[in-house]
Amino acid sequence: MTKDYDFIIIGAGPAGMTAAVYASRAGMKTALLEAGAPGGKLLKTHKISNWPGIKEEPGSQLAMDMFEHSTSFGAVYEYGNVVEIRDGERKQVICEDGTVFTAPAVLVATGTKERLLNIPGEQEHIGKGISYCAVCDGAFFRDKETAVIGGGNSALEEAAYLTQFASKVYLVMRRDVFRAEKAVIDTVMSNPKIELFQNYIPLQVLDNEGRVGGLEISHTQSGETKVLPVSGIFPYIGADPVTGFLKNLPVLDEQGYMIVNSNMETSVPLLFGAGDVCQKELRQVVTAASDGAIAAQAAFRKL
C-alpha cells in the first residue's frame, strides 16, 4: 500500500506534533506518522512545570492537548514503524508492515530511547520489576522498596515521583555530582523516603522467583559491594537517538544524532530533523516544539 502526502512527519512527540500544526495550517497535506501512542516522552513524565503558560500539568495531559491540536487543521495521524527512508524527488518512507508513505519533504522527530544498564539479570527482569517509566509503573510498587539509577533531571524527578507509592527509594549515582536543576535536587534531598548512594554503580539484578529480588551495587573507588533489597529498579542513565532507519543516508553524527542547520535541514534536500533526535545541548519540550515549528515553515517555503 502506498500513501501520498506533501509532508510526512515521523514521530508524534512535541516536535512532531508542533510541526503538524504549522504544516497543516500552511495548507500542506500532512501525515503524522507514529509507531506508538502520541506524546513521546511527555507520556512518561509525571509533571511538566516548565512549559510557558502552564505552571504545572501532568505530562499525559499536555500530550493529549498537543495531539488534539496537531490534527485540528487537517493533519492525518498514521500508524507505522519506519524501517527505511529512500531519497528521491518523492521520498519513500517504508514501514515494517510494507506500507510506503511518499512525500517530497520528510521530517524526522523520533526522539531518543532510554539506555539499558547492560548488567546480568537486566534483560530477564524487564517488565518483571525493571521499568524505564516510573510514571507508567510506579503504582505497582506501593509499599515496596525501589531503586532509581542516575543523577540527572529525569532520575531525580522519577525518584521523587516514586515516593508517592514506594516505602523507600534508593537513588544510585555513578558520581558524587548531580546533573540536575537546583529545584529538582532540593526536592529530592528534602524527601525522607529517598536514600542517596553516590559513587556507586549497579553490578547485577538479583532474582526472586522470576521477579526482581534485589540490586547489587559497587562503590566506584573502594570496590565495596552492597545489596539493596528492592522489588523495582528504574534506570535513567541517558538515551540514544532513534535513527536506525537513517543509516543509509549521510545525515548522522558518530553517536547517531541528526546533523541539521538552523532551519532544521540535513544535507539531504527536504529531509529535516527536529527535537531530541538532533545534535543539541538542551533537550526539553519547549526546544523540541521550536524545532518542529522551524522545520515545518522551512519545508513550506522550500515546497
Side-chain angles (χ1 to χ4, degrees):
M1 181 186 296
T2 300
K3 297 184 178 183
D4 301 322
Y5 288 91
D6 298 328
F7 189 44
I8 297 170
I9 301 163
I10 306 170
M17 291 190 290
T18 303
V21 171
Y22 277 77
S24 55
R25 282 188 70 201
M28 289 192 285
K29 183 182 179 184
T30 302
L32 185 58
L33 184 58
E34 172 60 58
K41 283 191 170 55
L42 282 175
L43 297 175
K44 300 180 180 181
T45 305
H46 173 44
K47 290 181 181 179
I48 295 289
S49 57
N50 54 6
W51 179 255
I54 298 175
K55 290 184 178 179
E56 189 172 88
E57 182 174 75
S60 57
Q61 182 60 53
L62 184 57
M64 183 176 294
D65 293 342
M66 281 188 173
F67 178 62
E68 289 178 357
H69 194 181
S70 72
T71 55
S72 63
F73 296 103
V76 178
Y77 181 72
E78 298 270 17
Y79 174 81
N81 183 30
V82 177
V83 294
E84 185 182 359
I85 295 178
R86 294 177 185 169
D87 191 24
E89 187 175 345
R90 289 191 67 83
K91 292 174 174 53
Q92 294 183 326
V93 178
I94 300 167
C95 294
E96 192 174 40
D97 63 1
T99 303
V100 178
F101 295 86
T102 75
V106 172
L107 168 62
V108 176
T110 43
T112 58
K113 184 177 181 180
E114 292 77 12
R115 289 178 188 156
L116 302 180
L117 295 170
N118 291 317
I119 59 174
E122 180 181 23
Q123 288 288 345
E124 305 93 296
H125 293 93
I126 293 175
K128 299 176 182 178
I130 293 181
S131 170
Y132 304 89
C133 178
V135 175
C136 308
D137 299 325
F140 294 117
F141 299 93
R142 190 177 299 278
D143 299 324
K144 297 179 180 179
E145 296 189 9
T146 61
V148 173
I149 317 296
N153 270 333
S154 294
L156 271 63
E157 287 170 353
E158 300 311 295
Y161 173 76
L162 281 169
T163 60
Q164 298 179 83
F165 311 103
S167 58
K168 185 85 172 179
V169 178
Y170 301 101
L171 182 59
V172 181
M173 296 172 49
R174 176 184 293 271
R175 301 168 58 197
D176 59 359
V177 178
F178 291 106
R179 294 175 290 104
E181 297 167 1
K182 184 179 184 302
V184 180
I185 296 171
D186 291 344
T187 297
V188 165
M189 296 301 288
S190 64
N191 194 312
K193 281 191 173 184
I194 297 175
E195 184 175 345
L196 190 59
F197 282 88
Q198 292 180 316
N199 293 314
Y200 277 89
I201 57 172
L203 284 185
Q204 65 173 324
V205 178
L206 306 180
D207 181 82
N208 180 21
E209 298 182 351
R211 297 192 61 81
V212 168
L215 176 67
E216 185 178 2
I217 61 175
S218 172
H219 196 275
T220 57
Q221 297 166 9
S222 69
E224 173 199 14
T225 61
K226 294 179 179 289
V227 173
L228 305 180
V230 298
S231 301
I233 300 171
F234 295 84
Y236 289 92
I237 57 170
D240 296 305
V242 181
T243 53
F245 56 88
L246 291 171
K247 291 293 175 62
N248 63 321
L249 298 173
V251 298
L252 305 178
D253 68 9
E254 292 180 355
Q255 286 74 46
Y257 287 97
M258 295 185 73
I259 304 168
V260 297
N261 63 17
S262 60
N263 287 322
M264 313 315 297
E265 299 167 300
T266 69
S267 60
V268 174
L270 290 173
L271 177 63
F272 301 84
D276 289 3
V277 78
C278 297
Q279 282 183 338
K280 61 195 308 181
E281 289 296 322
L282 184 63
R283 291 183 170 87
Q284 294 286 296
V285 178
V286 69
T287 60
S290 172
D291 289 353
I294 292 169
Q297 283 298 105
F300 174 68
R301 288 195 303 270
K302 293 281 185 179
L303 292 177

